[in-house]
Amino acid sequence: MKIARIETFLVPPRWLFCRIETDDGVVGWGEPVVEGRAEVVRAAVDVLAEYLTGQDPLRIQDHWQVLTKGGFYRGGPVLSSAVAGLDQALWDIAGKTYGAPVHALLGGPVRDRVRVYAWVGGDEPAELSEQITAQVEAGFTAVKMNAAGATSPVVTAAETAEVVARVAAARDLLGPHRDVAVDFHGRFTAASARRVLAELAPLHPLFVEEPVVPDHGHLLPGLVAASPVPLATGERLYSRTDFLPALTAGIAVAQPDLSHAGGISEVHRIASLAETYGAQLAPHCPLGPIALAASLQVAFATPNFLIQEQSRGIHYNKDADLLSYVVDPEPFRFVDGHASRGDAPGLGITVDEAAVRAADRAGHTWRNPVWRHPDGSFAEW
């Protein structure tokens, strides 16, 4: 069996899919994308496809080594994301070839269902109550929200009070038996994060995500030592090497993205590394159905898994949503805030190829917004 063809599809709202077909007709799907730079990753996939075409698709680990290390210049979000999607597709082919779900190929399941959380915004608090109520009524036991919009370099008393008020409102609606995670989105400086984390502690967040931008990862040890709240990071870290300093700093939750951090192969290894530091895995995934399917396969086989992000109804999803490109929505039917383990081969989903090809004809040019402070200077988004 050889890889015969590799295609990519730029599909709304902001995703990139890839399709690998073998010479005997087995098809695997992946989701290689950097949000806002999908076209750049598409070009990287085309370059990597030069190597993969004609190769045995079942030599996944060997291909991963060549794709990530075969060039003199390595790493970074574009290359890692291109490899991630191709890796997902190869695992999908392997599962279909062997007639087993990917989690079985990773050593078998350690759980029967995976806890997932829903996104409820938080940049602007006006609809927060309505959104949380809707997710609770849908059965979710955990939500995630942004702490704030654009934030001053040194957080003001008013900004701190607004963050605390938003999270307090969420806690009141959720009660003590459900969880709220709070995303700082790298919008806070280390000094501001320390100030706000102390104020949030009585509200018992499940974790606070990206307290600082990854460029300031060297400041994590001090933040972890000062924080009474568990800290999480990782959506902008792309390898075990990237995660090692964060784990040694003492983060509680590692958040690799299956479409950024080298795919199933590397995230499975990141999870094992995190386990040696007592950290839990909560994969980042505000993306499409293929990325989520890959994330769930890893979650079913990972002992130190905590909770899974998913994008149904997220504010990014305009013109298409999580179920727009799959034939059967059952793998993404969440009951009591959990996804159940299935036994379908590969990634466990059937991609609606006709819908994908039609969507690619329209494509997209999604870009993240650029924010500015009141004085006109650049602000972290």
Side-chain angles (χ1 to χ4, degrees):
M1 183 167 61
K2 304 295 183 184
I3 294 172
R5 182 167 57 159
I6 299 175
E7 300 175 272
T8 54
F9 306 92
L10 198 66
V11 299
R14 56 181 192 150
W15 304 331
L16 181 70
F17 296 166
C18 72
R19 179 185 184 273
I20 299 180
E21 183 177 352
T22 70
D23 56 0
D24 59 357
V26 181
V27 172
W29 289 88
E31 194 167 334
V33 67
V34 172
E35 303 92 297
R37 300 289 185 267
E39 304 94 328
V40 183
V41 180
R42 187 179 216 177
V45 171
D46 288 343
V47 171
L48 296 178
E50 296 172 7
Y51 161 75
L52 281 178
T53 302
Q55 299 287 335
D56 178 355
L58 300 182
R59 297 189 62 177
I60 298 173
Q61 297 303 332
D62 185 58
H63 296 325
W64 193 93
Q65 295 293 320
V66 173
L67 293 175
T68 59
K69 301 175 182 178
F72 186 74
Y73 299 99
R74 307 175 180 178
V78 171
L79 178 59
S80 295
S81 298
V83 172
L86 292 167
D87 182 82
Q88 292 168 15
L90 292 176
W91 278 101
D92 196 23
I93 288 172
K96 291 171 179 175
T97 299
Y98 296 125
V102 168
H103 66 256
L105 304 184
L106 294 175
V110 296
R111 59 181 49 81
D112 296 322
R113 60 180 193 157
V114 164
R115 191 184 186 201
V116 299
Y117 65 81
W119 181 263
V120 292
D123 282 350
E124 299 296 336
E127 298 179 355
L128 192 60
S129 175
E130 179 181 335
Q131 292 173 348
I132 291 176
T133 300
Q135 299 300 350
V136 169
E137 291 176 349
F140 287 96
T141 62
V143 300
K144 189 173 80 176
M145 58 184 287
N146 273 330
T151 305
S152 300
V154 177
V155 69
T156 66
E159 288 172 328
T160 301
E162 289 168 3
V163 172
V164 174
R166 280 196 284 271
V167 180
R171 172 55 67 203
D172 287 343
L173 288 164
L174 293 165
H177 300 298
R178 298 183 183 89
D179 287 309
V180 57
V182 182
D183 192 352
F184 278 20
H185 218 256
R187 295 170 183 169
F188 292 74
T189 62
S192 294
R194 277 193 294 270
R195 175 173 283 173
V196 177
L197 286 166
E199 297 291 330
L200 290 179
L203 299 170
H204 209 84
L206 180 64
F207 56 75
V208 164
E209 177 176 337
E210 271 205 328
V212 291
V213 291
D215 315 52
H216 293 165
H218 58 285
L219 301 177
L220 280 174
L223 280 174
V224 170
S227 177
V229 176
L231 298 185
T233 197
E235 69 186 78
R236 290 186 274 185
L237 303 177
Y238 311 115
S239 67
R240 284 161 288 165
T241 305
D242 287 350
F243 270 91
L244 184 58
L247 291 166
T248 57
I251 62 166
V253 182
Q255 298 177 294
D257 189 305
L258 270 287
S259 284
H260 299 329
I264 290 169
S265 295
E266 184 70 348
V267 171
H268 192 235
R269 292 187 283 257
I270 290 168
S272 295
L273 177 64
E275 187 178 15
T276 68
Y277 285 89
Q280 303 297 301
L281 188 78
H284 178 258
C285 190
L287 293 170
I290 304 170
L292 180 57
S295 299
L296 291 173
Q297 293 295 328
V298 170
F300 286 124
T302 299
N304 56 319
F305 169 82
L306 178 66
I307 197 166
Q308 177 62 54
E309 182 172 25
Q310 55 83 31
S311 70
R312 186 181 295 179
I314 199 170
H315 55 287
Y316 300 122
N317 291 357
K318 298 176 182 178
D319 303 320
D321 208 328
L322 185 64
L323 303 181
S324 297
Y325 303 111
V326 293
V327 173
D328 181 7
E330 185 63 22
F332 303 134
R333 187 169 70 91
F334 306 130
V335 178
D336 297 328
H338 289 76
S340 297
R341 177 169 56 85
D343 294 319
L347 295 181
I349 61 171
T350 301
V351 173
D352 186 338
E353 187 170 326
V356 169
R357 291 186 182 278
D360 179 60
R361 289 194 286 271
H364 69 81
T365 55
W366 188 87
R367 303 288 184 263
N368 66 249
V370 174
W371 285 359
R372 295 191 178 276
H373 292 297
D375 66 359
S377 61
F378 176 80
E380 288 287 348
W381 170 68

